[in-house]
Amino acid sequence: MRHEKVDLIFQAAVQIFSDRGFDQAKMDEIAQAAGVAKGTIYYHFDSKEDLFVGLMNEGLSQLTQYVERNLEGAFTASDQLYAIIEAHVQFFVENGKLAKLLLNEAFDTQERQLQFRAKVRNYISVIDQVIQTGVRNGEFEVKHSQELAVALFGAASVMVLHKIYAHDIDKQEELQAQTPAILSTLEMIMKNVIKMK
Amino acid sequence: MRHEKVDLIFQAAVQIFSDRGFDQAKMDEIAQAAGVAKGTIYYHFDSKEDLFVGLMNEGLSQLTQYVERNLEGAFTASDQLYAIIEAHVQFFVENGKLAKLLLNEAFDTQERQLQFRAKVRNYISVIDQVIQTGVRNGEFEVKHSQELAVALFGAASVMVLHKIYAHDIDKQEELQAQTPAILSTLEMIMKNVIKMK
Amino acid sequence: MRHEKVDLIFQAAVQIFSDRGFDQAKMDEIAQAAGVAKGTIYYHFDSKEDLFVGLMNEGLSQLTQYVERNLEGAFTASDQLYAIIEAHVQFFVENGKLAKLLLNEAFDTQERQLQFRAKVRNYISVIDQVIQTGVRNGEFEVKHSQELAVALFGAASVMVLHKIYAHDIDKQEELQAQTPAILSTLEMIMKNVIKMK
Amino acid sequence: MRHEKVDLIFQAAVQIFSDRGFDQAKMDEIAQAAGVAKGTIYYHFDSKEDLFVGLMNEGLSQLTQYVERNLEGAFTASDQLYAIIEAHVQFFVENGKLAKLLLNEAFDTQERQLQFRAKVRNYISVIDQVIQTGVRNGEFEVKHSQELAVALFGAASVMVLHKIYAHDIDKQEELQAQTPAILSTLEMIMKNVIKMK
DNA sequence: AATGAATGAGGTTTCATTCAT
DNA sequence: TATGAATGAAACCTCATTCAT
């Protein structure tokens, strides 16, 4: 395929950026991990930042697709809310490196993340809208829909991160084993807070 | 009392580290903001990392004290749980820069945060223990106490961060005005999840 | 006839080298301006330097031909001297980009220009010989013929360059309008210095 | 003194920039020639360009002072004109490296020289004004004063450059020996063109 | 205790050149 | 002949740290 090298670079970049963070990641290291020459990265990307931004957008877009796929067939607001949160948790558990990357940078400070944080806010507002729909059609009873959306996003994300740091990020089975406890806790929150009539 | 210059350095360091993150923060900048010569920082701290770790410990210790003060007079587990979460939110709203710093680095990747993340885990386990006490003495009914502790920590922290990024971090009044909605949402979660008999 | 692509490359190279100088000119840019792939340049030229040297020789050779054409029908030494200087000025005014290129590099420092500076010296020595002939056959009375040759070359060249920098190099009419003042000044110098009996 | 290192850097930079030109000059090389660390250059100068511009301004300012000193005691316009040209030639012969640097860059193309070329134009306009004064008070009879000023500047400069390239730039005596022929030629031009009544 | 000039290892980026197609 | 993706040496610049004063 045409973009064979680009794929190699992307894969290596997720690893390195996730392990080291943006600043500590060295282009040399990414090039070596990708098995290409340093110049090859610069042939395909304008700069370290360009590569990074490309990666974040790619990651967020994968997450969004993952969530949307899980939303198919969920028609009530409560089904939709659960589908989103479930997909969110599962995606992050399955893609630990990407999860670290997305969440670290979601809360970081740099100019470079402005655009990215806007997209995260947008992602959260989708949750918000589902909650608002539920309120409007009488499924839910919630005062601060936006705050709740953020709370769910935060609770789910931080729980996964906490597990990632507690376990070895590369041991998929161990991480997967944690999913039920996480989802069960989130389900409790949703079931009760969202006072179903 | 701590040396005058050390205080100046600490104050400047919180600002700069919070604004730029560890890697992007320059010792030059901190020195200038503190109004001391660069060499003076190195007279009082071994390295950039030493300064940073000192700052994080200081911040975490302030948070802990703030929480402990709010715990005085709370004797039931549910009062204690609420007191912790309330103090947590209030401290972070009142100390936005420190909040950014603590939370960014709490989720970061570097070696340098190993020690710090251990302390965060410890902080969370205090919440966990209150929940477990509540369960043991019949106040609460919870399956996964640790997950719940993390969920509360995550929900509270991310809500504050979200507000910080949405508003101007330096406008205290605006941020303070957000506290009730945050606390109200957390209260709902606690009240319902923790099924009081 | 020369290969079509080679012409395209030459034309583009004059533009780029003249605008940016040797070091700042990029092969990418030349290729793009020529509408060929970068590899194509390397198919026809061994290196950037090879292309550059080819260009300079081409330019100098055009100048020489231009001068020789203007010399036809000039039989006295003073007619010849004036014909050379006039052609020199006119050629440079008509080929501003080439003028910049030739004169910049004529005064530059690099190894790569050794060969080229030799040709410039040769060009100047033609002027010198005309002056010497004029002295020998009694037309002129000059002490330092070589110095005078260089002075005329320098005065003529720098005057054109000065006009090129003062005006927009691409506005031919503006530049052409400057020619009379330049030639008139040079004529005065020649008429008086070369004391005609 | 305070600026000991700055002086060392300046001296080294003249050598290297003059020998290699701006683009081929390496900061490493300048640092080594100056006997300081690379970082030291960047402690005192913002960039390679900053160093270069500083050098050019310094050089032009030395030239100007040299000329002004030679102008003292020259009261007629013709004395002044000769004093300027004489100082110009002598300064360049005595400071060969600087001469190469100033003249190469005076005719170069880059953005970075815009400011510098403006100063050169200013320098030339001083010559122009002397000529105009001479015309006004009846000493001279000249049609195109500006063109003549440029012609004199160009003739003088190129003659010196020509000698510099023909001889070894470091052999002061050889170069000095060339001065009379250069000045004699320029004197002839001035004496005759500027028709004294 | 405090200073700030000096250092140099290390990182990002550029770009002439190559070569498989 | 022509292409353009790939290469990697080399250059500029940064900045934590040191140390003489």
Side-chain angles (χ1 to χ4, degrees), chain A residues 77-146:
Chain A
S78 32
D79 280 358
Q80 286 176 350
L81 186 61
Y82 188 75
I84 292 174
I85 297 299
E86 183 188 48
H88 185 90
V89 169
Q90 267 166 8
F91 180 83
F92 277 179
V93 167
E94 284 170 19
N95 302 277
K97 298 266 181 188
L98 200 52
K100 272 177 66 179
L101 198 52
L102 288 173
L103 293 173
N104 286 164
E105 304 296 334
F107 300 145
D108 210 326
T109 293
Q110 310 303 323
E111 287 302 305
R112 107 183 75 94
Q113 282 104 353
L114 272 182
Q115 199 197 6
F116 175 68
R117 279 210 299 276
K119 290 186 179 172
V120 170
R121 250 198 304 283
N122 194 58
Y123 178 83
I124 290 175
S125 85
V126 171
I127 306 179
D128 189 7
Q129 275 152 32
V130 170
I131 296 175
Q132 287 182 34
T133 305
V135 170
R136 239 176 286 118
N137 67 25
E139 274 183 82
F140 304 157
E141 215 171 276
V142 168
K143 247 189 280 180
H144 305 287
S145 69
Q146 201 207 44

Side-chain angles (χ1 to χ4, degrees), chain A residues 19-20 23 104 107 109-110, chain B residues 19-20 104 107 109-110:
Chain A
D19 285 353
R20 305 241 191 295
D23 285 296
N104 286 164
F107 300 145
T109 293
Q110 310 303 323
Chain B
D19 285 352
R20 305 240 189 297
N104 286 165
F107 300 145
T109 292
Q110 310 303 323

